[in-house]
Amino acid sequence: METQTEKLTYCLYVRKSTESEERQVMSIDSQIKEMMKISERDNLDIVSIKRRIINKASVADRIIHHAIVRVIEPFYEKRFIHRSYASRKSKGLHKGVKELRRMMLAVTRNDTRKAYYLKCDIKKFFDSVDHDILKDILQKNIRDQDILDLLVGIIDSFHTEDRKGLPLGNYTSQLFANMYMNELDQYIKRVLRIKHYIRYSDDFVILGSSKKELIGILEKIKVFLNEKLHLRLHKEKIFLNQLSKGIDFLGYVVFPHHMVLRTRTKKRMYRKFKKNPNAESLASYIGMTKHAYSNNIRRDLLKIYFEYKKK
């Protein structure tokens, strides 16, 4: 007897459209509508630097979410900008940090001239994603009504009182987030024509030759976010400074020729490791520190670990 997973594998597929080589149409068998029953979620209250509510979908829903992402992700990958580094194949945090360093070297001409950076963060991004805007974004490229209905069902399965928000626990949420923020990416690259721009999820950095230039860009971005995406920047997380001061980005303070761990990241790492100095955590933290100037940190971690083993 054919399982639901096998049915989904056969039902979901991508084929070329006859209208254009760039357009793809996603088709889905009518059975998928019966299979796709959005279940109630488990809510996990996670506390790290700040409190986050993780909405965990059912096992059946997670299987469907993975199948959907596998089908539509390649289609959208071609439309994302190169310097978008969150939740994408062959991208990631550490590659994003390295790319920022390359940008810094380029804009300063190998650290020989003064330059500035603008760093921003979207306020409560996942809670603020507007469902109607997200659905309009999907409708721009997806022509098959069945798969649109399926995606709309996933979007509407979670919302706040004003029908906004993406559940952090959904596999589809990261792709939806990139689709949503791609609207900002395209505006910055195609309309504002900004060359040195990089984004990781809801954090982004723009490099420029003057503060005045970056202030002008900031005001245009604020208007675009508010009018087109119904998003706001976090006022306390807008930073405008000289590049030589270093950019606090993704857990590191990044300079053109080197980077160091952010002080807060380092303190949190020491605190957690002292509570539970196991081999797995040691390997993870050593791997993290290899990307930064941190010989002393690695030495301290090894000392903590071996002292614990002697007890």
Side-chain angles (χ1 to χ4, degrees):
M1 185 175 177
E2 194 177 34
T3 66
Q4 284 193 343
T5 305
E6 289 169 337
K7 286 180 182 178
L8 191 60
T9 304
Y10 289 124
C11 289
L12 291 174
Y13 66 95
V14 179
R15 58 181 170 83
K16 291 287 184 180
S17 171
T18 57
E19 296 181 14
S20 168
E21 289 184 357
E22 286 297 313
R23 187 177 298 167
Q24 295 183 352
V25 179
M26 278 146 282
S27 296
I28 185 167
D29 190 278
S30 60
Q31 296 174 51
I32 194 67
K33 292 184 178 179
E34 294 301 318
M35 293 162 50
M36 187 55 192
K37 303 293 184 183
I38 304 299
S39 308
E40 292 186 3
R41 303 171 184 279
D42 294 327
N43 291 335
L44 305 178
D45 194 353
I46 305 297
V47 180
S48 179
I49 300 175
K50 55 185 177 182
R51 186 176 299 274
R52 298 179 186 273
I53 303 298
I54 306 298
N55 301 92
K56 185 180 177 183
S58 69
V59 173
D61 286 351
R62 292 204 297 271
I63 292 171
I64 294 172
H65 294 170
H66 277 259
I68 291 168
V69 170
R70 188 173 180 179
V71 170
I72 67 175
E73 187 176 47
F75 174 73
Y76 277 97
E77 269 294 321
K78 297 188 299 183
R79 286 152 177 79
F80 294 155
I81 65 169
H82 173 69
R83 286 176 174 156
S84 165
Y85 278 87
S87 304
R88 295 176 63 191
K89 292 179 180 178
S90 302
K91 299 289 183 177
L93 185 151
H94 294 116
K95 288 187 177 181
V97 172
K98 288 179 180 178
E99 182 62 24
L100 177 58
R101 286 179 60 190
R102 284 191 284 267
M103 286 169 49
M104 295 169 77
L105 287 170
V107 76
T108 60
R109 294 183 181 177
N110 203 23
D111 209 15
T112 60
R113 72 175 186 180
K114 185 182 291 187
Y116 298 84
Y117 73 87
L118 169 68
K119 180 178 178 292
C120 301
D121 177 271
I122 306 293
K123 186 174 183 179
K124 296 183 178 179
F125 170 67
F126 279 91
D127 289 337
S128 302
V129 171
D130 188 293
H131 285 194
D132 290 334
I133 294 174
L134 178 56
K135 291 170 190 176
D136 287 342
I137 292 170
L138 289 170
Q139 288 172 355
K140 288 180 184 179
N141 296 300
I142 299 175
R143 299 289 181 258
D144 188 280
Q145 192 58 48
D146 287 331
I147 201 163
L148 272 174
D149 290 344
L150 178 60
L151 294 171
V152 166
I154 294 172
I155 293 168
D156 288 342
S157 69
F158 172 89
H159 59 81
T160 57
E161 291 182 2
D162 52 358
R163 300 200 65 77
K164 291 184 177 182
L166 293 175
L168 286 175
N170 267 18
Y171 188 59
T172 51
S173 293
Q174 297 298 333
L175 179 57
F176 287 153
N178 273 333
M179 291 178 187
Y180 205 83
M181 288 298 288
N182 185 56
E183 300 296 304
L184 174 65
D185 297 340
Q186 298 300 330
Y187 172 72
I188 289 175
K189 297 298 291 184
R190 295 179 182 273
V191 179
L192 300 185
R193 312 292 292 179
I194 305 300
K195 183 178 182 181
H196 301 294
Y197 164 77
I198 188 170
R199 179 177 64 81
Y200 188 94
S201 189
D202 55 349
D203 293 339
F204 62 89
V205 176
I206 297 173
L207 309 184
S209 57
S210 73
K211 280 189 175 182
K212 184 178 179 180
E213 172 194 6
L214 293 175
I215 290 171
I217 292 169
L218 173 61
E219 294 308 310
K220 291 176 181 178
I221 288 174
K222 284 181 179 178
V223 172
F224 178 85
L225 287 171
N226 182 55
E227 293 183 354
K228 300 298 183 181
L229 298 178
H230 297 173
L231 297 174
R232 291 181 298 159
L233 295 177
H234 199 303
K235 292 181 180 179
E236 296 178 1
K237 294 183 179 180
I238 298 174
F239 301 98
L240 179 61
N241 212 333
Q242 289 187 30
L243 230 60
S244 59
K245 304 292 185 181
I247 304 175
D248 188 336
F249 189 58
L250 304 180
Y252 298 92
V253 180
V254 186
F255 298 88
H257 290 288
H258 73 285
M259 56 189 183
V260 297
L261 277 177
R262 179 196 294 160
T263 301
R264 189 173 62 193
T265 302
K266 185 167 58 176
K267 287 181 178 179
R268 187 171 67 252
M269 182 175 65
Y270 278 138
R271 184 175 65 252
K272 287 185 175 181
F273 192 62
K274 285 178 180 178
K275 288 182 180 179
N276 186 21
N278 59 77
E280 292 79 8
S281 296
L282 177 65
S284 175
Y285 290 142
I286 292 293
M288 184 179 184
T289 59
K290 282 182 178 179
H291 295 275
Y293 183 76
S294 52
N295 289 337
N296 290 341
I297 298 174
R298 288 197 292 272
R299 183 191 62 203
D300 292 343
L301 290 171
L302 288 168
K303 182 179 179 181
I304 293 169
Y305 177 74
F306 286 116
E307 285 181 351
Y308 175 80
K309 294 291 286 185
K310 288 179 181 177
K311 294 180 181 179

